[in-house]
Amino acid sequence: MAASEPSSGQRVLVTGGAGYIGSHTCLELLQAGHSVTVLDNLCNSSPESLKRVESLAGRALELVQGDIRDFDLLRRLLGSPGGKQPAFDAVVHFAGLKAVGESVAQPLAYFDNNVAGTVCLLRAMAEAAVKTLVFSSSATVYGDPASVPISEDFSRSATNPYGRSKLVIEDILEDLYRSDPAWCIARLRYFNPGGAHVSGLIGEDPQGTPNNLMPYVSQVAIGQRECLQVFGGDYPTPDGTGVRDYIHVVDLANGHLAALRALRQDDGQSGRFLTVNLGTGVGVSVLDLVKAFERASGRSVPCRVVARRAGDVAACYANPALAKTLLGWQAQRNLADMCADAWRWQSQNPQGYRQSAAQAHSDGATR
Ligand code: NAD
Ligand code: UFG
């Protein structure tokens, strides 16, 4: 079965659903016939993303503005213990902080939000007997890999508090499953998400200076930033710049639907515990990406090679074979698609979702 085919409708709680990957996943879930409730505290997102998701899907979702660390709220949302039918079939858990540099400066904020927040969510799920979870892990758990491509059985390590928060959560999920094999858990290790929905209506909306390559390149192409700093030109890679596995965000979103289906296969019998890379298997250098973006946008992206960024690895790309075997999923879109879609989003929304908020405000003021 193709990864994007609809399956029977489930009631899905999406934590962090207003964010970049979450909003794209909400759209795919709605389009596949699932019903969606988003729990998001909007610390790094705008509700405008979800308004656009609803208009693209032609269907409504529910947004609950709140924090995954609020146990009473989760209890109310998931359904009370004993007797009452759980309110959801599954939880897709995106909520978390994700800036590596910030995590080094504020480790406790990362452990509190990501680790304590996940424990709070899991306690509420256990109490409500909602035992199906898809978790956003990351290729960061592979640390500095001994070789590429990276398979799921490679050793794991953390090089910063953000990465450690993902490692700890991965371990907590494994312990939880061991304690109660009725749980159905998928740990999805994303490689480098990029691109946007083909409509140009939803996409990545970084606050302040982007940390990641793709949004930075977009902002240079549109003239908001002068020049891309290429972090390191002396890596042992074909052109000396860092190599990564850029995966289209819509493919990534569909990976979550495939995981939900795979977890359901054993529904009612016993649980399942899956750990899967979501990547393309293709290594792309910084300069490859810049060239592809220039082609897609018709704009030039001036670059300057500077020193390596602390903590970066030379090359990181997935062996994606297990996702195909276990989930029936593989990436459908290539680097050119990703750049074309990122450029459409960037050029139609130069200020991201802020533009819509300002527009709505001025429309209201003139009415
Ligand atoms: P994002 O910041 O756009 O989305 C995260 C969402 O979670 C935001 O809407 C934010 O407001 C919300 N949130 C954060 N803390 C919360 C809390 N305590 N309670 C409720 N909501 C909260 O990030 P994204 O790029 O969409 O990433 C989603 C997930 O995928 C994260 O867990 C991230 O660590 C993981 N991930 C991202 C990447 C990447 O490069 N984007 C790579 C690997 C893994
Ligand atoms: N890079 C530049 N200039 C920039 C930004 C990035 O040259 O301005 C280079 C980096 O050195 C690296 C490549 O572009 O070689 C990709 O860098 P990103 O910051 O976009 O992504 P990373 O691979 O460093 O990390 C990202 C997320 C992590 C996640 C990891 C794997 O930020 O949270 O992908 O999923 F863990």
Side-chain angles (χ1 to χ4, degrees):
M1 185 164 56
S4 57
E5 267 174 39
S7 62
S8 60
Q10 297 189 43
R11 298 158 303 161
V12 185
L13 176 65
V14 183
T15 74
Y20 173 45
I21 306 168
S23 56
H24 289 79
T25 304
C26 287
L27 176 57
E28 298 302 314
L29 285 167
L30 288 174
Q31 288 179 332
H34 301 294
S35 73
V36 173
T37 297
V38 168
L39 173 63
D40 199 306
N41 65 5
L42 303 179
C43 70
N44 196 37
S45 54
S46 157
E48 175 64 20
S49 65
L50 296 176
K51 288 188 190 141
R52 296 188 185 191
V53 164
E54 287 180 325
S55 94
L56 283 165
R59 286 184 58 206
L61 52 69
E62 183 189 14
L63 169 62
V64 176
Q65 187 172 342
D67 199 293
I68 54 167
R69 292 164 293 183
D70 183 343
F71 186 67
D72 291 336
L73 170 65
L74 286 168
R75 230 183 188 171
R76 288 196 300 276
L77 205 54
L78 286 159
S80 58
K84 220 176 103 182
Q85 174 87 346
F88 296 98
D89 299 305
V91 176
V92 181
H93 176 33
F94 294 105
L97 302 177
K98 62 165 185 175
V100 172
E102 187 182 68
S103 80
V104 175
Q106 301 172 36
L108 296 180
Y110 273 68
F111 294 127
D112 182 43
N113 201 86
N114 295 5
V115 179
T118 301
V119 171
C120 184
L121 173 68
L122 294 170
R123 282 178 49 224
M125 288 176 67
E127 191 179 279
V130 177
K131 294 190 177 177
T132 298
L133 177 83
V134 179
F135 170 63
S136 303
S137 189
S138 166
T140 195
V141 300
Y142 296 117
D144 193 352
S147 62
V148 279
I150 301 169
S151 301
E152 288 80 354
D153 58 359
F154 274 34
S155 66
R156 300 175 314 149
S157 64
T159 53
N160 55 65
Y162 166 72
R164 201 173 320 283
S165 76
K166 293 293 180 190
L167 268 185
V168 171
I169 296 167
E170 282 206 348
D171 289 343
I172 289 171
L173 293 175
E174 199 166 338
D175 287 341
L176 180 63
Y177 179 71
R178 281 214 189 97
S179 76
D180 177 0
W183 279 83
C184 294
I185 295 173
R187 305 187 300 189
L188 303 183
R189 293 178 178 158
Y190 313 156
F191 282 68
N192 291 55
H197 189 259
V198 68
S199 62
L201 283 176
I202 56 172
E204 186 168 12
D205 185 19
Q207 316 291 307
T209 308
N211 297 310
N212 296 121
L213 180 63
M214 194 95 176
Y216 203 104
V217 167
S218 299
Q219 294 190 3
V220 174
I222 205 155
Q224 290 173 351
R225 301 189 185 273
E226 258 175 37
C227 173
L228 171 74
Q229 296 197 327
V230 177
F231 298 142
D234 58 353
Y235 283 109
T237 58
D239 65 17
T241 67
V243 166
R244 297 289 183 275
D245 185 335
Y246 296 93
I247 171 165
H248 196 295
V249 66
V250 175
D251 282 332
L252 192 59
N254 279 318
H256 295 74
L257 275 72
L260 284 173
R261 273 197 301 273
L263 291 177
R264 239 196 172 183
Q265 274 166 20
D266 290 353
D267 201 30
Q269 301 300 312
S270 62
R272 271 197 116 182
F273 190 80
L274 307 172
T275 303
V276 180
N277 286 341
L278 293 184
T280 65
V282 180
V284 169
S285 76
V286 175
L287 297 181
D288 291 335
L289 188 140
V290 167
K291 279 183 226 136
F293 208 94
E294 288 183 325
R295 274 195 297 276
S297 63
R299 303 286 181 95
S300 88
V301 177
C303 319
R304 188 173 69 245
V305 176
V306 299
R308 293 181 181 189
R309 182 171 66 179
D312 275 357
V313 302
C316 173
Y317 56 93
N319 175 347
L322 194 64
K324 192 168 181 195
T325 311
L326 290 183
L327 310 183
W329 173 94
Q330 67 187 121
Q332 305 290 322
R333 295 161 182 82
N334 63 21
L335 182 63
D337 301 325
M338 214 177 313
C339 293
D341 293 339
W343 177 243
R344 192 173 306 104
W345 156 254
Q346 179 70 60
S347 46
Q348 290 179 13
N349 307 272
Q351 304 304 323
Y353 296 118
R354 285 175 292 289
Q355 196 164 265
S356 295
Q359 184 67 44
H361 184 70
S362 78
D363 286 353
T366 53
R367 229 173 263 140

